[in-house]
Structure formats: C-alpha cells, structure tokens
Amino acid sequence: MNAKRYDKLATGLLYTIAGIVVLILLLLLGFIIIRGLPQLSWSFLTTPSRAFTAGGGIGIQLFNSIYLLILTMLISMPIALGASIYLNEYAKPGKVTSIIRTMIEILSSLPSVVVGLFGFLLFVVQFGLSFSILSGALALTVFNLPLLTRSIEDALKSISNDQRNGGLALGISKWETVTKIILPAAVPSIVSGLILSAGRVFGEAAALIYTAGQSAPALNFANWNPFDIDSPLNPMRPAETLAVHIWKINSEGIMPDSSAVSAGAAAVLIIVVLIFNLLARWIGRLLFKRLTAGS
C-alpha cells in the first residue's frame, strides 16, 4: 500500500513539474506573441528599418536572417553529414574516435558569445573577411556543427544493423550500403534534425554581433549581382539579422516606436522558430510514412 502511495505521489509530482514548465513556456510565448501581433503587417515585414523616425519595419533584417540561414546550412550540412557517416559507419573504437567525440561535446557546450568572439578573431580579423554575411555564416557553422553532427549520427544509429548486413550480403560495397540503404532510411530523422538546427540558427544573436555586424545597409532588390555591394546576394556585406536587431533596439534604440518595433520583431522571430519546430515534426512523420509505405 505504501509503495502504491509513493508511486502515485511521485507520478503526481512529475506531472505537476511538467505542467509548471509547460505553463511558463505558454505564458512566455503568449506574452511575446500577443504583444507583438498588433504590430505585424505587410508593410512592417517588407519595409526597411529606421534609426531615428517612427514607422520602420524589419524587411532587410528578415531577409538577412533567411539568407544567412541558407548559407550556414549549405556550409554545415555536408560537413556534418560526412562526419556523422564516418563516426557511425567507419570509425573504430579507439583514442582518435574518443577525442573526436569529446571535441564535439566541448564545441556543443560553448556559449554562443564565445563562438562569436572566436569568429571575430579568426574570420573577421585573421582572414580579413570583415563584418559580413560570410563571417557570420562561418561562425554559425562552428556553432551549429556539433548539434547537427550528433543529430545525424543519432539518425544513422537508429537504423537496424540488419539492413547493413543485408546490403553486405547482397555483395554491394559498404559505401553503397550507406548511401543507398542507410541514408534513405534515415532521411526522416535527418530532415527533422536539420529543420530543428535551422530554427536554432535563425534565432541566434550573440555570435552574429561580432561577425555579421550590427548594421543593415540599404539594399537594391532589383540588383541580384552578388559582386555588387548593394546586392542582397552579396556575401561580403555587413548584415544585421532579426535577432541582432531586437537586441540593438532594446539596448540603444532611439526611434519613438522602438518598443513597438521590438515587440513585432520578437513576435516574428518566435513564430518562425515555432514554424520550424512544427515543420520538423510534420515533415519527419510524412517522410517516414512514405518511405516505409505506411498509411
């Protein structure tokens, strides 16, 4: 009887803690979204920001965030995929593998501001890339690589060894087994991890303050030549992202409607990150059903 009571008490306590955490999260999200939704409009999402007068938007910052995210994922995805395949399929237990895994753990635990300072010293100063989208993308690659590598490796680990043995039994090479059997089977989990890491990158601010810069020069969206300084596609221009813009407004904004712009930008950021998380679940389930011929 006492054991049953303790079990019910412990279960109730766990449910209570979980409920409190969920309630705090809902209150936080609700406060940000309710406060920011009235500020949202097509004009707010597409017009450039203003430094001294009211009525500015977040158009350039929103584009910079999306462009930086795409560039970061293009750099980090192949590296993370290759590292994950090596660690899970080819690496033998030993000192080298242990050191690699330890380094990945260390990198994943670094504060983003430390990654930003590292990116500033290496990419901005040493490599001479200045404050630019490319510097920010490289810094975010360092920030994102450990999480993405572990995510893809976990996806590969979830595939049964029977599939590996079956491929080898058919006489195909290990590389063909990995690329034609293991990777397709792991696609749903890989895509989910990719989208979740993209949401994390999209909301990053500290690492970009020191690498991508805190300014958003006027862009000519009719000019798509990546070598022109006013082109949106120029990777060598400074680029203030949405998260950095929110930080900057709250720390030194002097426009009359700074609180309204900050609230609207924060709501957009939260909504986009929520969309990333929901997409990860939906696309993962959809791919799993299709690839496993489920209904």
Side-chain angles (χ1 to χ4, degrees), residues 48-119:
S49 60
R50 297 180 183 178
F52 305 106
T53 57
I58 58 170
I60 294 178
Q61 286 81 5
L62 186 58
F63 176 84
N64 288 340
S65 298
I66 296 172
Y67 185 35
L68 190 59
L69 170 63
I70 294 173
L71 197 58
T72 301
M73 300 312 292
L74 286 176
I75 298 172
S76 59
M77 180 59 188
I79 301 173
L81 182 61
S84 302
I85 291 174
Y86 168 76
L87 288 172
N88 193 69
E89 304 296 332
Y90 290 94
K92 296 179 180 179
K95 288 185 178 180
V96 175
T97 304
S98 178
I99 291 173
I100 294 174
R101 293 188 186 279
T102 302
M103 297 306 295
I104 291 175
E105 293 293 333
I106 293 173
L107 280 175
S108 66
S109 63
L110 286 178
S112 57
V113 65
V114 174
V115 176
L117 289 171
F118 168 79

Side-chain angles (χ1 to χ4, degrees), residues 130-279:
S130 302
F131 292 107
S132 63
I133 292 178
L134 184 58
S135 295
L138 291 173
L140 286 182
T141 297
V142 176
F143 175 73
N144 188 45
L145 206 52
L147 174 66
L148 196 54
T149 301
R150 291 169 59 187
S151 175
I152 298 176
E153 187 182 0
D154 288 341
L156 296 176
K157 282 181 179 179
S158 67
I159 306 303
S160 172
N161 284 329
D162 292 340
Q163 297 196 42
R164 295 177 176 85
N165 296 331
L168 296 175
L170 292 173
I172 60 178
S173 66
K174 188 167 186 177
W175 174 249
E176 289 177 319
T177 302
V178 171
T179 55
K180 296 183 179 180
I181 298 178
I182 305 303
L183 280 180
V187 162
S189 299
I190 292 175
V191 171
S192 297
L194 185 65
I195 297 174
L196 289 174
S197 66
R200 186 183 184 215
V201 168
F202 189 85
E204 180 53 40
L208 296 175
I209 293 173
Y210 301 102
T211 52
Q214 304 175 39
S215 61
L219 300 178
N220 179 12
F221 284 93
N223 180 11
W224 295 98
N225 182 357
F227 298 101
D228 289 346
I229 189 62
D230 63 344
S231 171
L233 297 182
N234 188 340
M236 302 308 297
R237 63 178 176 84
E240 181 186 56
T241 62
L242 192 58
V244 174
H245 187 57
I246 295 170
W247 169 82
K248 189 175 180 180
I249 290 175
N250 283 287
S251 61
E252 54 187 56
I254 58 174
M255 67 281 284
D257 60 344
S258 60
S259 60
V261 174
S262 174
V268 171
L269 186 63
I270 289 294
I271 290 171
V272 171
V273 172
L274 286 174
I275 289 173
F276 274 123
N277 282 268
L278 294 174
L279 274 178

Side-chain angles (χ1 to χ4, degrees), residues 28-59:
L28 179 62
L29 294 179
F31 174 78
I32 295 174
I33 293 175
I34 292 172
R35 186 166 172 260
L37 275 180
Q39 318 301 330
L40 302 187
S41 65
W42 181 250
S43 174
F44 180 76
L45 295 175
T46 56
T47 56
S49 60
R50 297 180 183 178
F52 305 106
T53 57
I58 58 170

